[in-house]
């Protein structure tokens, strides 16, 4: 559930260039296969700078995760030009049917490995607590806006936001770690859920 | 979504004793902190046997995962004495509201780490493909039985089984890696979903 990363086309500064190299190395090697040396391979600009800034791969990855979350947070207001139901649909599709399927799958796999670090590492857990709060809040606000507009029923937006959030996370977790091919059924059922439980008609 | 492990009370043979020691070490140390030496600490019976059987921690853990899945598969027919809706409820609660919360959370964290190995390790991925098939199938058969009994509507059992499966996985993934405390809302919404979409009344 990461916004299409525009910094990949044209990094605006050194930090964005480092983040681009990290993104590419993560897609290529995953968390387990990643080393700062491998990120440096994609980051010809200034290898010594990379080593200077980050003591360990985890430190760099935690910075990468914050960077991606900030990018997402900044993209939320722009998304508000679309009507609420359309916005939900876009989130569903970005999560489970990324435009570039191969790259989307690689990135989802790497993020799944990063998230699993949170099971034993407080620093990752703190990040994912933030991450989940921000994504859930974006879903909840979309549902609340739909209620205000009269297109959604008077539902418990917090509860439904939590429910949709874990369904998307579970779908991404499954595609990253087991069989792909169930995404279409999940998307279908999510849309049926929205039309049965949320839509006011 | 693992059946309450009865082998923990009274292991019937050496393999069950090894599996019990593995389960305990996993809950205590998680995947990242686990070593064969640490499992051997809990397995006083025959340390050399443990080293003789398994070349690496991953090999032992893959055997542990198969063992747990076999246990679950054998428990499915017994569960069929309960009516379908009650069975779904039991699955939901085992996943998101384990009776022993602390142990359930530790085990869910360890399983989340094991599952994340599948992002880069084919052997783990093969296991989780099997795992997901078996659990999804149990959900689908429960839904189909409810349709035959007339308590559930004529729905697409495969699609709804997939949907419920990823919602539970996502809920467990969240409790393992981010903030706990959203489980009650997810359980509530799952029950509301069952009564809105499935129940024939």
């Amino acid at each position: 559930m990461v916004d299409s990363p525009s910094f990949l086309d044209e990094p605006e500064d050194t930090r964005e260039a480092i983040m681009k190299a990290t993104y590419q190395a993560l897609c290529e090697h995953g968390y387990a296969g990643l080393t700062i040396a491998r990120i440096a391979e994609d980051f010809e600009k200034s290898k010594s700078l990379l080593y200077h800034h980050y003591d360990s791969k985890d430190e760099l990855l935690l910075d990468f995760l914050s960077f991606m979350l900030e990018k997402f947070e900044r993209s939320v207001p722009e998304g508000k030009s679309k009507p609420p139901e359309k916005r939900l649909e876009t989130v569903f599709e970005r999560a489970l049917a990324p435009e570039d399927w191969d790259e989307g799958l690689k990135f989802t796999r790497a993020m799944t490995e990063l998230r699993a670090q949170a099971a034993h590492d407080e620093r990752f857990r703190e990040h994912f607590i933030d991450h989940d709060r921000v994504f859930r809040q974006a879903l909840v606000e979309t549902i609340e806006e739909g209620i205000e507009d009269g297109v959604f029923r008077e539902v418990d937006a917090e509860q439904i936001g939590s429910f949709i959030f874990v369904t998307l996370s579970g779908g991404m977790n499954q595609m990253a770690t087991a069989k792909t091919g169930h995404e279409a059924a999940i998307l279908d059922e999510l849309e049926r859920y929205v039309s049965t439980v949320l839509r006011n008609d």
Side-chain angles (χ1 to χ4, degrees), chain A:
Chain A
M1 264 169 297
V2 171
D3 202 33
S4 172
S6 65
F7 68 98
L8 291 179
D9 299 327
E10 286 184 41
E12 284 178 14
D13 50 33
T14 309
R15 187 170 181 233
E16 287 209 353
I18 295 179
M19 295 300 129
K20 178 179 175 173
T22 307
Y23 177 93
Q24 288 170 332
L26 259 179
C27 286
E28 196 175 339
H29 307 290
Y31 173 77
L34 199 72
T35 57
I36 292 200
R38 278 184 165 164
I39 296 169
E41 275 171 31
D42 285 324
F43 185 61
E44 289 306 323
K45 206 170 165 186
S46 166
K47 288 190 190 201
S48 59
L49 195 81
L50 193 63
Y51 287 104
H52 178 76
H53 274 299
Y54 303 100
D55 286 334
S56 70
K57 121 179 167 179
D58 280 355
E59 220 176 273
L60 171 50
L61 288 171
L62 285 160
D63 193 34
F64 174 73
L65 288 171
S66 302
F67 173 82
M68 294 297 276
L69 190 57
E70 282 159 29
K71 284 266 164 206
F72 173 76
E73 279 188 280
R74 274 204 293 275
S75 76
V76 172
E78 292 160 32
K80 290 198 172 159
S81 56
K82 282 194 238 168
E85 194 168 348
K86 187 76 204 150
R87 246 147 73 202
L88 289 181
E89 219 177 89
T90 306
V91 173
F92 300 169
E93 282 171 4
R94 264 188 202 155
L96 297 174
E99 251 178 71
D100 183 334
W101 172 260
D102 289 338
E103 186 180 305
L105 182 59
K106 280 182 188 167
F107 189 65
T108 302
R109 286 196 168 135
M111 288 297 283
T112 299
E113 292 179 286
L114 290 183
R115 185 181 261 274
Q117 303 310 308
H120 65 268
D121 187 325
E122 279 296 333
R123 297 166 308 165
F124 281 92
R125 195 171 311 152
E126 269 169 37
H127 167 77
F128 283 103
I129 288 174
D130 265 5
H131 173 277
D132 290 7
R133 185 180 45 72
V134 168
F135 277 93
R136 180 181 296 106
Q137 198 49 34
L139 288 168
V140 169
E141 280 171 19
T142 306
I143 296 166
E144 284 172 345
E145 206 182 298
I147 297 171
E148 276 163 38
D149 293 354
V151 289
F152 291 160
R153 295 180 200 177
E154 297 276 346
V155 293
D156 182 339
E158 292 278 346
Q159 177 158 316
I160 292 183
S162 289
F163 184 77
I164 291 177
F165 177 73
V166 296
T167 303
L168 292 172
S169 305
M172 291 166 84
N173 193 241
Q174 176 187 254
M175 84 189 218
T177 58
K179 210 170 166 62
T180 58
H182 291 287
E183 295 75 27
I186 297 159
L187 279 175
D188 245 36
E189 192 57 25
L190 262 172
E191 277 166 28
R192 211 165 71 96
Y193 170 79
V194 167
S195 83
T196 313
V197 172
L198 277 182
R199 201 186 295 144
N200 203 2
D201 57 18

PDB file of all heavy atoms in Angstrom, chain A residues 24-55:
ATOM      1  N   GLN A  24      15.600   0.212  -5.283  1.00  0.00           N
ATOM      2  CA  GLN A  24      15.986  -0.716  -6.354  1.00  0.00           C
ATOM      3  C   GLN A  24      16.694  -1.952  -5.806  1.00  0.00           C
ATOM      4  O   GLN A  24      16.427  -3.078  -6.244  1.00  0.00           O
ATOM      5  CB  GLN A  24      16.881   0.008  -7.370  1.00  0.00           C
ATOM      6  CG  GLN A  24      16.069   0.993  -8.209  1.00  0.00           C
ATOM      7  CD  GLN A  24      16.936   1.911  -9.054  1.00  0.00           C
ATOM      8  OE1 GLN A  24      18.087   2.211  -8.696  1.00  0.00           O
ATOM      9  NE2 GLN A  24      16.385   2.384 -10.157  1.00  0.00           N
ATOM     10  N   ALA A  25      17.569  -1.738  -4.831  1.00  0.00           N
ATOM     11  CA  ALA A  25      18.295  -2.873  -4.250  1.00  0.00           C
ATOM     12  C   ALA A  25      17.336  -3.789  -3.484  1.00  0.00           C
ATOM     13  O   ALA A  25      17.472  -5.020  -3.511  1.00  0.00           O
ATOM     14  CB  ALA A  25      19.409  -2.370  -3.336  1.00  0.00           C
ATOM     15  N   LEU A  26      16.349  -3.193  -2.812  1.00  0.00           N
ATOM     16  CA  LEU A  26      15.336  -3.996  -2.095  1.00  0.00           C
ATOM     17  C   LEU A  26      14.543  -4.858  -3.067  1.00  0.00           C
ATOM     18  O   LEU A  26      14.320  -6.047  -2.811  1.00  0.00           O
ATOM     19  CB  LEU A  26      14.358  -3.071  -1.365  1.00  0.00           C
ATOM     20  CG  LEU A  26      14.540  -2.863   0.131  1.00  0.00           C
ATOM     21  CD1 LEU A  26      13.473  -1.901   0.634  1.00  0.00           C
ATOM     22  CD2 LEU A  26      14.477  -4.169   0.912  1.00  0.00           C
ATOM     23  N   CYS A  27      14.106  -4.265  -4.182  1.00  0.00           N
ATOM     24  CA  CYS A  27      13.350  -5.033  -5.180  1.00  0.00           C
ATOM     25  C   CYS A  27      14.228  -6.160  -5.735  1.00  0.00           C
ATOM     26  O   CYS A  27      13.753  -7.264  -5.956  1.00  0.00           O
ATOM     27  CB  CYS A  27      12.878  -4.148  -6.334  1.00  0.00           C
ATOM     28  SG  CYS A  27      11.508  -3.065  -5.879  1.00  0.00           S
ATOM     29  N   GLU A  28      15.499  -5.874  -5.940  1.00  0.00           N
ATOM     30  CA  GLU A  28      16.371  -6.871  -6.565  1.00  0.00           C
ATOM     31  C   GLU A  28      16.787  -7.962  -5.584  1.00  0.00           C
ATOM     32  O   GLU A  28      16.771  -9.141  -5.923  1.00  0.00           O
ATOM     33  CB  GLU A  28      17.613  -6.188  -7.146  1.00  0.00           C
ATOM     34  CG  GLU A  28      18.347  -7.091  -8.126  1.00  0.00           C
ATOM     35  CD  GLU A  28      19.508  -6.366  -8.791  1.00  0.00           C
ATOM     36  OE1 GLU A  28      19.499  -5.102  -8.810  1.00  0.00           O
ATOM     37  OE2 GLU A  28      20.434  -7.050  -9.265  1.00  0.00           O
ATOM     38  N   HIS A  29      17.187  -7.595  -4.366  1.00  0.00           N
ATOM     39  CA  HIS A  29      17.777  -8.579  -3.450  1.00  0.00           C
ATOM     40  C   HIS A  29      16.882  -8.970  -2.278  1.00  0.00           C
ATOM     41  O   HIS A  29      17.186  -9.928  -1.573  1.00  0.00           O
ATOM     42  CB  HIS A  29      19.095  -8.034  -2.883  1.00  0.00           C
ATOM     43  CG  HIS A  29      20.058  -7.589  -3.932  1.00  0.00           C
ATOM     44  ND1 HIS A  29      20.709  -8.478  -4.764  1.00  0.00           N
ATOM     45  CD2 HIS A  29      20.478  -6.354  -4.313  1.00  0.00           C
ATOM     46  CE1 HIS A  29      21.492  -7.809  -5.601  1.00  0.00           C
ATOM     47  NE2 HIS A  29      21.373  -6.508  -5.346  1.00  0.00           N
ATOM     48  N   GLY A  30      15.791  -8.237  -2.037  1.00  0.00           N
ATOM     49  CA  GLY A  30      14.971  -8.488  -0.849  1.00  0.00           C
ATOM     50  C   GLY A  30      15.718  -8.059   0.403  1.00  0.00           C
ATOM     51  O   GLY A  30      16.886  -7.652   0.328  1.00  0.00           O
ATOM     52  N   TYR A  31      15.058  -8.162   1.549  1.00  0.00           N
ATOM     53  CA  TYR A  31      15.718  -7.763   2.799  1.00  0.00           C
ATOM     54  C   TYR A  31      16.876  -8.694   3.136  1.00  0.00           C
ATOM     55  O   TYR A  31      17.964  -8.258   3.493  1.00  0.00           O
ATOM     56  CB  TYR A  31      14.711  -7.760   3.954  1.00  0.00           C
ATOM     57  CG  TYR A  31      15.364  -7.528   5.308  1.00  0.00           C
ATOM     58  CD1 TYR A  31      15.764  -6.253   5.686  1.00  0.00           C
ATOM     59  CD2 TYR A  31      15.606  -8.587   6.185  1.00  0.00           C
ATOM     60  CE1 TYR A  31      16.384  -6.030   6.922  1.00  0.00           C
ATOM     61  CE2 TYR A  31      16.229  -8.373   7.417  1.00  0.00           C
ATOM     62  CZ  TYR A  31      16.615  -7.094   7.771  1.00  0.00           C
ATOM     63  OH  TYR A  31      17.233  -6.885   8.979  1.00  0.00           O
ATOM     64  N   ALA A  32      16.619  -9.993   3.008  1.00  0.00           N
ATOM     65  CA  ALA A  32      17.621 -10.985   3.432  1.00  0.00           C
ATOM     66  C   ALA A  32      18.921 -10.848   2.632  1.00  0.00           C
ATOM     67  O   ALA A  32      20.005 -11.014   3.180  1.00  0.00           O
ATOM     68  CB  ALA A  32      17.059 -12.390   3.300  1.00  0.00           C
ATOM     69  N   GLY A  33      18.786 -10.537   1.348  1.00  0.00           N
ATOM     70  CA  GLY A  33      19.979 -10.479   0.495  1.00  0.00           C
ATOM     71  C   GLY A  33      20.601  -9.097   0.426  1.00  0.00           C
ATOM     72  O   GLY A  33      21.582  -8.880  -0.277  1.00  0.00           O
ATOM     73  N   LEU A  34      20.032  -8.144   1.158  1.00  0.00           N
ATOM     74  CA  LEU A  34      20.488  -6.761   1.031  1.00  0.00           C
ATOM     75  C   LEU A  34      21.708  -6.473   1.912  1.00  0.00           C
ATOM     76  O   LEU A  34      21.798  -6.950   3.036  1.00  0.00           O
ATOM     77  CB  LEU A  34      19.348  -5.819   1.435  1.00  0.00           C
ATOM     78  CG  LEU A  34      19.469  -4.382   0.966  1.00  0.00           C
ATOM     79  CD1 LEU A  34      19.227  -4.291  -0.528  1.00  0.00           C
ATOM     80  CD2 LEU A  34      18.483  -3.501   1.691  1.00  0.00           C
ATOM     81  N   THR A  35      22.632  -5.711   1.370  1.00  0.00           N
ATOM     82  CA  THR A  35      23.773  -5.207   2.155  1.00  0.00           C
ATOM     83  C   THR A  35      23.968  -3.746   1.748  1.00  0.00           C
ATOM     84  O   THR A  35      23.521  -3.339   0.669  1.00  0.00           O
ATOM     85  CB  THR A  35      25.077  -5.965   1.814  1.00  0.00           C
ATOM     86  OG1 THR A  35      25.304  -5.837   0.397  1.00  0.00           O
ATOM     87  CG2 THR A  35      24.989  -7.441   2.174  1.00  0.00           C
ATOM     88  N   ILE A  36      24.650  -2.994   2.605  1.00  0.00           N
ATOM     89  CA  ILE A  36      24.924  -1.592   2.210  1.00  0.00           C
ATOM     90  C   ILE A  36      25.775  -1.582   0.936  1.00  0.00           C
ATOM     91  O   ILE A  36      25.577  -0.749   0.057  1.00  0.00           O
ATOM     92  CB  ILE A  36      25.601  -0.798   3.363  1.00  0.00           C
ATOM     93  CG1 ILE A  36      24.600  -0.615   4.526  1.00  0.00           C
ATOM     94  CG2 ILE A  36      26.054   0.579   2.860  1.00  0.00           C
ATOM     95  CD1 ILE A  36      24.930   0.506   5.502  1.00  0.00           C
ATOM     96  N   ALA A  37      26.675  -2.553   0.812  1.00  0.00           N
ATOM     97  CA  ALA A  37      27.519  -2.627  -0.392  1.00  0.00           C
ATOM     98  C   ALA A  37      26.658  -2.766  -1.650  1.00  0.00           C
ATOM     99  O   ALA A  37      26.946  -2.161  -2.690  1.00  0.00           O
ATOM    100  CB  ALA A  37      28.486  -3.789  -0.278  1.00  0.00           C
ATOM    101  N   ARG A  38      25.589  -3.575  -1.560  1.00  0.00           N
ATOM    102  CA  ARG A  38      24.720  -3.768  -2.726  1.00  0.00           C
ATOM    103  C   ARG A  38      23.924  -2.506  -3.042  1.00  0.00           C
ATOM    104  O   ARG A  38      23.608  -2.242  -4.203  1.00  0.00           O
ATOM    105  CB  ARG A  38      23.784  -4.948  -2.496  1.00  0.00           C
ATOM    106  CG  ARG A  38      24.485  -6.254  -2.791  1.00  0.00           C
ATOM    107  CD  ARG A  38      23.570  -7.438  -2.674  1.00  0.00           C
ATOM    108  NE  ARG A  38      24.195  -8.595  -3.318  1.00  0.00           N
ATOM    109  CZ  ARG A  38      23.798  -9.850  -3.125  1.00  0.00           C
ATOM    110  NH1 ARG A  38      22.789 -10.113  -2.327  1.00  0.00           N
ATOM    111  NH2 ARG A  38      24.418 -10.830  -3.751  1.00  0.00           N
ATOM    112  N   ILE A  39      23.559  -1.764  -2.006  1.00  0.00           N
ATOM    113  CA  ILE A  39      22.869  -0.491  -2.268  1.00  0.00           C
ATOM    114  C   ILE A  39      23.855   0.469  -2.932  1.00  0.00           C
ATOM    115  O   ILE A  39      23.516   1.164  -3.890  1.00  0.00           O
ATOM    116  CB  ILE A  39      22.296   0.125  -0.970  1.00  0.00           C
ATOM    117  CG1 ILE A  39      21.223  -0.816  -0.396  1.00  0.00           C
ATOM    118  CG2 ILE A  39      21.698   1.508  -1.228  1.00  0.00           C
ATOM    119  CD1 ILE A  39      20.751  -0.480   0.998  1.00  0.00           C
ATOM    120  N   ALA A  40      25.083   0.435  -2.462  1.00  0.00           N
ATOM    121  CA  ALA A  40      26.107   1.319  -3.025  1.00  0.00           C
ATOM    122  C   ALA A  40      26.338   1.038  -4.509  1.00  0.00           C
ATOM    123  O   ALA A  40      26.612   1.949  -5.285  1.00  0.00           O
ATOM    124  CB  ALA A  40      27.416   1.178  -2.239  1.00  0.00           C
ATOM    125  N   GLU A  41      26.154  -0.225  -4.914  1.00  0.00           N
ATOM    126  CA  GLU A  41      26.276  -0.579  -6.337  1.00  0.00           C
ATOM    127  C   GLU A  41      25.335   0.264  -7.194  1.00  0.00           C
ATOM    128  O   GLU A  41      25.663   0.645  -8.310  1.00  0.00           O
ATOM    129  CB  GLU A  41      25.887  -2.055  -6.569  1.00  0.00           C
ATOM    130  CG  GLU A  41      27.007  -3.028  -6.344  1.00  0.00           C
ATOM    131  CD  GLU A  41      26.516  -4.481  -6.367  1.00  0.00           C
ATOM    132  OE1 GLU A  41      25.537  -4.783  -7.080  1.00  0.00           O
ATOM    133  OE2 GLU A  41      27.120  -5.301  -5.651  1.00  0.00           O
ATOM    134  N   ASP A  42      24.104   0.489  -6.659  1.00  0.00           N
ATOM    135  CA  ASP A  42      23.118   1.281  -7.396  1.00  0.00           C
ATOM    136  C   ASP A  42      23.303   2.772  -7.140  1.00  0.00           C
ATOM    137  O   ASP A  42      22.533   3.581  -7.629  1.00  0.00           O
ATOM    138  CB  ASP A  42      21.697   0.890  -6.951  1.00  0.00           C
ATOM    139  CG  ASP A  42      21.280  -0.455  -7.528  1.00  0.00           C
ATOM    140  OD1 ASP A  42      21.676  -0.734  -8.674  1.00  0.00           O
ATOM    141  OD2 ASP A  42      20.566  -1.195  -6.840  1.00  0.00           O
ATOM    142  N   PHE A  43      24.276   3.114  -6.347  1.00  0.00           N
ATOM    143  CA  PHE A  43      24.404   4.502  -5.925  1.00  0.00           C
ATOM    144  C   PHE A  43      25.824   4.980  -6.179  1.00  0.00           C
ATOM    145  O   PHE A  43      26.621   5.174  -5.279  1.00  0.00           O
ATOM    146  CB  PHE A  43      24.046   4.608  -4.436  1.00  0.00           C
ATOM    147  CG  PHE A  43      24.024   6.015  -3.916  1.00  0.00           C
ATOM    148  CD1 PHE A  43      23.156   6.951  -4.444  1.00  0.00           C
ATOM    149  CD2 PHE A  43      24.877   6.402  -2.894  1.00  0.00           C
ATOM    150  CE1 PHE A  43      23.137   8.249  -3.964  1.00  0.00           C
ATOM    151  CE2 PHE A  43      24.876   7.708  -2.419  1.00  0.00           C
ATOM    152  CZ  PHE A  43      23.997   8.624  -2.957  1.00  0.00           C
ATOM    153  N   GLU A  44      26.091   5.159  -7.461  1.00  0.00           N
ATOM    154  CA  GLU A  44      27.447   5.499  -7.890  1.00  0.00           C
ATOM    155  C   GLU A  44      27.881   6.878  -7.392  1.00  0.00           C
ATOM    156  O   GLU A  44      29.062   7.138  -7.197  1.00  0.00           O
ATOM    157  CB  GLU A  44      27.538   5.449  -9.414  1.00  0.00           C
ATOM    158  CG  GLU A  44      27.473   4.029  -9.967  1.00  0.00           C
ATOM    159  CD  GLU A  44      28.526   3.103  -9.337  1.00  0.00           C
ATOM    160  OE1 GLU A  44      29.655   3.566  -9.062  1.00  0.00           O
ATOM    161  OE2 GLU A  44      28.206   1.924  -9.086  1.00  0.00           O
ATOM    162  N   LYS A  45      26.882   7.739  -7.176  1.00  0.00           N
ATOM    163  CA  LYS A  45      27.130   9.153  -6.910  1.00  0.00           C
ATOM    164  C   LYS A  45      28.149   9.408  -5.791  1.00  0.00           C
ATOM    165  O   LYS A  45      29.073  10.182  -5.948  1.00  0.00           O
ATOM    166  CB  LYS A  45      25.807   9.822  -6.538  1.00  0.00           C
ATOM    167  CG  LYS A  45      25.768  11.300  -6.825  1.00  0.00           C
ATOM    168  CD  LYS A  45      24.335  11.812  -6.650  1.00  0.00           C
ATOM    169  CE  LYS A  45      24.306  13.314  -6.570  1.00  0.00           C
ATOM    170  NZ  LYS A  45      22.962  13.803  -6.270  1.00  0.00           N
ATOM    171  N   SER A  46      27.941   8.725  -4.669  1.00  0.00           N
ATOM    172  CA  SER A  46      28.825   9.000  -3.542  1.00  0.00           C
ATOM    173  C   SER A  46      28.754   7.861  -2.525  1.00  0.00           C
ATOM    174  O   SER A  46      27.980   7.912  -1.574  1.00  0.00           O
ATOM    175  CB  SER A  46      28.435  10.328  -2.899  1.00  0.00           C
ATOM    176  OG  SER A  46      29.060  10.444  -1.654  1.00  0.00           O
ATOM    177  N   LYS A  47      29.554   6.829  -2.784  1.00  0.00           N
ATOM    178  CA  LYS A  47      29.529   5.668  -1.889  1.00  0.00           C
ATOM    179  C   LYS A  47      29.942   6.016  -0.462  1.00  0.00           C
ATOM    180  O   LYS A  47      29.352   5.534   0.499  1.00  0.00           O
ATOM    181  CB  LYS A  47      30.469   4.568  -2.414  1.00  0.00           C
ATOM    182  CG  LYS A  47      29.920   3.891  -3.642  1.00  0.00           C
ATOM    183  CD  LYS A  47      30.713   2.656  -4.026  1.00  0.00           C
ATOM    184  CE  LYS A  47      30.238   2.189  -5.390  1.00  0.00           C
ATOM    185  NZ  LYS A  47      30.530   0.808  -5.668  1.00  0.00           N
ATOM    186  N   SER A  48      30.945   6.873  -0.344  1.00  0.00           N
ATOM    187  CA  SER A  48      31.452   7.171   0.999  1.00  0.00           C
ATOM    188  C   SER A  48      30.390   7.877   1.837  1.00  0.00           C
ATOM    189  O   SER A  48      30.265   7.648   3.031  1.00  0.00           O
ATOM    190  CB  SER A  48      32.713   8.034   0.910  1.00  0.00           C
ATOM    191  OG  SER A  48      32.392   9.235   0.238  1.00  0.00           O
ATOM    192  N   LEU A  49      29.582   8.701   1.155  1.00  0.00           N
ATOM    193  CA  LEU A  49      28.489   9.407   1.831  1.00  0.00           C
ATOM    194  C   LEU A  49      27.519   8.397   2.449  1.00  0.00           C
ATOM    195  O   LEU A  49      27.047   8.561   3.580  1.00  0.00           O
ATOM    196  CB  LEU A  49      27.754  10.261   0.795  1.00  0.00           C
ATOM    197  CG  LEU A  49      26.823  11.336   1.342  1.00  0.00           C
ATOM    198  CD1 LEU A  49      27.633  12.565   1.746  1.00  0.00           C
ATOM    199  CD2 LEU A  49      25.798  11.726   0.278  1.00  0.00           C
ATOM    200  N   LEU A  50      27.231   7.357   1.689  1.00  0.00           N
ATOM    201  CA  LEU A  50      26.292   6.323   2.145  1.00  0.00           C
ATOM    202  C   LEU A  50      26.825   5.672   3.419  1.00  0.00           C
ATOM    203  O   LEU A  50      26.103   5.528   4.409  1.00  0.00           O
ATOM    204  CB  LEU A  50      26.136   5.281   1.026  1.00  0.00           C
ATOM    205  CG  LEU A  50      24.995   4.286   1.136  1.00  0.00           C
ATOM    206  CD1 LEU A  50      23.652   4.985   1.108  1.00  0.00           C
ATOM    207  CD2 LEU A  50      25.065   3.289  -0.023  1.00  0.00           C
ATOM    208  N   TYR A  51      28.097   5.317   3.381  1.00  0.00           N
ATOM    209  CA  TYR A  51      28.696   4.686   4.564  1.00  0.00           C
ATOM    210  C   TYR A  51      28.800   5.676   5.722  1.00  0.00           C
ATOM    211  O   TYR A  51      28.719   5.309   6.879  1.00  0.00           O
ATOM    212  CB  TYR A  51      30.077   4.095   4.228  1.00  0.00           C
ATOM    213  CG  TYR A  51      29.996   2.847   3.383  1.00  0.00           C
ATOM    214  CD1 TYR A  51      30.280   2.872   2.024  1.00  0.00           C
ATOM    215  CD2 TYR A  51      29.621   1.633   3.966  1.00  0.00           C
ATOM    216  CE1 TYR A  51      30.194   1.722   1.252  1.00  0.00           C
ATOM    217  CE2 TYR A  51      29.530   0.473   3.196  1.00  0.00           C
ATOM    218  CZ  TYR A  51      29.827   0.534   1.849  1.00  0.00           C
ATOM    219  OH  TYR A  51      29.747  -0.608   1.092  1.00  0.00           O
ATOM    220  N   HIS A  52      28.996   6.937   5.378  1.00  0.00           N
ATOM    221  CA  HIS A  52      29.099   7.962   6.408  1.00  0.00           C
ATOM    222  C   HIS A  52      27.770   8.149   7.148  1.00  0.00           C
ATOM    223  O   HIS A  52      27.738   8.332   8.356  1.00  0.00           O
ATOM    224  CB  HIS A  52      29.540   9.285   5.761  1.00  0.00           C
ATOM    225  CG  HIS A  52      29.623  10.421   6.737  1.00  0.00           C
ATOM    226  ND1 HIS A  52      30.659  10.549   7.627  1.00  0.00           N
ATOM    227  CD2 HIS A  52      28.777  11.465   6.969  1.00  0.00           C
ATOM    228  CE1 HIS A  52      30.460  11.629   8.365  1.00  0.00           C
ATOM    229  NE2 HIS A  52      29.331  12.199   7.990  1.00  0.00           N
ATOM    230  N   HIS A  53      26.672   8.107   6.401  1.00  0.00           N
ATOM    231  CA  HIS A  53      25.363   8.390   6.985  1.00  0.00           C
ATOM    232  C   HIS A  53      24.779   7.236   7.788  1.00  0.00           C
ATOM    233  O   HIS A  53      24.033   7.450   8.728  1.00  0.00           O
ATOM    234  CB  HIS A  53      24.357   8.784   5.897  1.00  0.00           C
ATOM    235  CG  HIS A  53      24.381  10.231   5.564  1.00  0.00           C
ATOM    236  ND1 HIS A  53      24.098  11.183   6.506  1.00  0.00           N
ATOM    237  CD2 HIS A  53      24.658  10.886   4.409  1.00  0.00           C
ATOM    238  CE1 HIS A  53      24.197  12.370   5.951  1.00  0.00           C
ATOM    239  NE2 HIS A  53      24.546  12.223   4.677  1.00  0.00           N
ATOM    240  N   TYR A  54      25.045   6.011   7.367  1.00  0.00           N
ATOM    241  CA  TYR A  54      24.353   4.873   7.972  1.00  0.00           C
ATOM    242  C   TYR A  54      25.339   3.842   8.501  1.00  0.00           C
ATOM    243  O   TYR A  54      26.212   3.385   7.774  1.00  0.00           O
ATOM    244  CB  TYR A  54      23.431   4.218   6.943  1.00  0.00           C
ATOM    245  CG  TYR A  54      22.420   5.168   6.369  1.00  0.00           C
ATOM    246  CD1 TYR A  54      22.620   5.742   5.115  1.00  0.00           C
ATOM    247  CD2 TYR A  54      21.279   5.513   7.085  1.00  0.00           C
ATOM    248  CE1 TYR A  54      21.698   6.642   4.581  1.00  0.00           C
ATOM    249  CE2 TYR A  54      20.353   6.406   6.574  1.00  0.00           C
ATOM    250  CZ  TYR A  54      20.576   6.972   5.313  1.00  0.00           C
ATOM    251  OH  TYR A  54      19.666   7.863   4.800  1.00  0.00           O
ATOM    252  N   ASP A  55      25.150   3.481   9.767  1.00  0.00           N
ATOM    253  CA  ASP A  55      26.043   2.502  10.386  1.00  0.00           C
ATOM    254  C   ASP A  55      25.698   1.070  10.014  1.00  0.00           C
ATOM    255  O   ASP A  55      26.531   0.181  10.091  1.00  0.00           O
ATOM    256  CB  ASP A  55      25.970   2.627  11.921  1.00  0.00           C
ATOM    257  CG  ASP A  55      26.702   3.864  12.396  1.00  0.00           C
ATOM    258  OD1 ASP A  55      27.626   4.294  11.672  1.00  0.00           O
ATOM    259  OD2 ASP A  55      26.347   4.395  13.458  1.00  0.00           O
TER     260      ASP A  55
END
